[in-house]
């Protein structure tokens, strides 16, 4: 794949660490691009309008970010893809400083070369395992940590353990926020354990998901936000309820009920994250 005469990226396929990446042009947007890996949607970016969030679960993450206080943020992203959220933060919160840890080096180079990554102000991207990247950061250095990492269609469960979550809490400032994208199917067994893990570390949490996912009717994405301080539940719930694909916002007793008797994930008890069925991505993507 090369660039056309206008200097824009062209569609095509590339081998990357975790499969085969493909760039697809959005025929409805002049400079909209979808990044797939092994046929699974990973990211969508509009190079002309980085504030546009195509995937519904990414829009929910954006809604939470929009409701956080202040303007410029220090953000750590674990998992990058085409860096949709770093572009969004740079566009909506000028002056933010952001660092992305992405384990797939060839994917980083693809995005740098073809999706104008170098133009994003205040952004650095490093090839690194998420746990190692988090461990390398000093304490009280981030306002926001976003975990949105997948390898071959599943979250690396080692990133969601109690030990990893405690290290994320160490990196966050006292008023910082942790956001994690979880994918799960009927029964929500993995999601419940992630909720149990995160709520064991952070005092406040909320969960966003479409009702059909919460009822176990289909595989999909759930967004979990957590903090040591109160989260803007009412505003996030209002935004989610009025979205094109409305989501429920759970907190307090409702979130405790969903967690049930689920136990936190630990390094000593490896649990594989669920792999989506082949037909799971008609409505939602990844990053």
């Amino acid at each position: 794949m090369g660039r056309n005469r206008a200097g824009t990226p062209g569609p095509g396929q590339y081998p990357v660490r975790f499969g085969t990446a493909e760039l697809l042009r959005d025929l409805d947007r002049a400079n909209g691009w979808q990044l797939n890996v092994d046929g699974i949607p990973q990211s969508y970016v509009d190079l002309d309008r980085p504030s546009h969030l195509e995937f519904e679960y990414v829009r929910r993450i954006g809604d939470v970010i929009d409701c956080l206080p202040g303007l410029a943020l220090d953000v750590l992203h674990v998992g990058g893809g085409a860096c949709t959220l770093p572009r969004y933060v740079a566009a909506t919160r000028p002056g933010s400083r952001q660092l992305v840890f992405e384990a797939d080096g060839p994917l980083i180079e693809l995005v740098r070369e073809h999706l104008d990554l170098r133009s994003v102000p205040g952004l650095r991207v490093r090839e690194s395992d998420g746990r190692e990247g988090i461990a390398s950061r000093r304490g009280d250095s981030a306002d926001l940590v976003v975990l949105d990492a997948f390898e071959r269609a599943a979250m690396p469960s080692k990133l969601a353990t109690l030990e990893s979550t405690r290290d994320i809490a160490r990196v966050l400032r006292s008023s910082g926020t942790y956001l994690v994208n979880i994918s799960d199917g009927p029964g929500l067994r993995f999601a419940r354990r992630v909720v149990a893990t995160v709520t064991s570390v952070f005092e406040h949490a909320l969960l966003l998901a479409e009702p059909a996912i919460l009822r176990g009717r289909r595989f999909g994405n759930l967004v979990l936000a957590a903090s040591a301080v109160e989260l803007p539940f009412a505003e996030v719930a209002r935004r989610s309820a009025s979205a094109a694909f409305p989501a429920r916002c759970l907190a307090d007793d409702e979130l405790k009920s969903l967690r049930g008797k689920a136990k936190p994930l630990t390094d000593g008890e490896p649990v594989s994250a669920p792999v989506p069925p082949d037909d799971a991505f008609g409505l939602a993507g990844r990053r």
Side-chain angles (χ1 to χ4, degrees):
M1 176 178 68
R3 289 178 176 269
N4 62 27
R5 292 182 181 179
T8 58
Q13 295 185 339
Y14 279 85
V16 293
R17 179 180 176 186
F18 297 116
T20 299
E22 182 178 18
L23 280 178
L24 300 173
R25 182 187 294 275
D26 184 346
L27 299 180
D28 295 324
R29 288 180 172 269
N31 217 359
W33 294 89
Q34 181 164 303
L35 171 68
N36 293 352
V37 176
D38 286 348
I40 297 173
Q42 296 286 330
S43 303
Y44 179 99
V45 294
D46 185 333
L47 300 183
D48 295 333
R49 188 186 167 201
S51 61
H52 173 71
L53 300 178
E54 181 76 8
F55 296 158
E56 287 300 320
Y57 94 86
V58 182
R59 180 64 265 172
R60 292 181 193 115
I61 293 177
D63 286 342
V64 176
I65 294 173
D66 289 348
C67 294
L68 298 180
L71 184 59
L73 299 172
D74 290 329
V75 188
L76 176 62
H77 302 264
V78 181
C83 291
T84 304
L85 284 167
R87 296 172 198 264
Y88 181 80
V89 170
T92 60
R93 290 177 175 262
S96 293
R97 298 181 296 182
Q98 302 185 83
L99 175 60
V100 173
F101 291 121
E102 169 59 60
D104 195 326
L107 184 64
I108 295 172
E109 293 308 312
L110 172 66
V111 174
R112 279 180 177 151
E113 178 64 22
H114 295 283
L115 294 179
D116 203 21
L117 191 59
R118 294 182 179 89
S119 71
V120 182
L123 176 64
R124 294 177 294 153
V125 182
R126 295 181 183 173
E127 180 182 356
S128 175
D129 170 84
R131 287 286 290 269
E132 293 175 0
I134 294 166
S136 71
R137 307 307 294 167
R138 61 182 175 82
D140 301 316
S141 61
D143 300 302
L144 175 65
V145 175
V146 180
L147 172 58
D148 188 13
F150 287 80
E151 295 175 4
R152 298 186 176 91
M155 175 193 286
S157 58
K158 65 181 180 180
L159 296 176
T161 65
L162 193 60
E163 292 83 355
S164 180
T165 305
R166 285 171 175 162
D167 209 20
I168 288 170
R170 175 189 64 81
V171 171
L172 281 169
R173 296 186 174 117
S174 59
S175 60
T177 302
Y178 176 38
L179 280 165
V180 55
N181 172 37
I182 313 162
S183 62
D184 205 352
L188 298 177
R189 292 183 179 86
F190 185 72
R192 293 175 196 274
R193 296 202 64 180
V194 175
V195 170
T197 305
V198 171
T199 55
S200 295
V201 176
F202 294 94
E203 183 176 355
H204 302 276
L206 62 82
L207 183 76
L208 295 166
E210 291 180 33
I213 296 171
L214 291 173
R215 296 189 195 108
R217 291 181 180 176
R218 68 175 182 85
F219 197 97
N221 298 87
L222 306 94
V223 172
L224 180 63
S227 180
V229 300
E230 286 192 20
L231 292 161
F233 174 85
E235 177 63 14
V236 172
R238 183 189 65 78
R239 286 171 175 249
S240 299
S242 62
F245 293 92
R248 285 193 61 198
C249 187
L250 307 184
D252 301 325
D253 290 344
E254 285 188 310
L255 191 56
K256 290 178 182 177
S257 177
L258 182 136
R259 170 183 173 170
K261 297 181 179 179
K263 297 180 180 179
L265 298 161
T266 67
D267 287 346
E269 183 190 0
V271 174
S272 297
V275 176
D278 293 339
D279 61 351
F281 297 103
L283 295 175
R286 287 286 184 217
R287 300 187 185 106

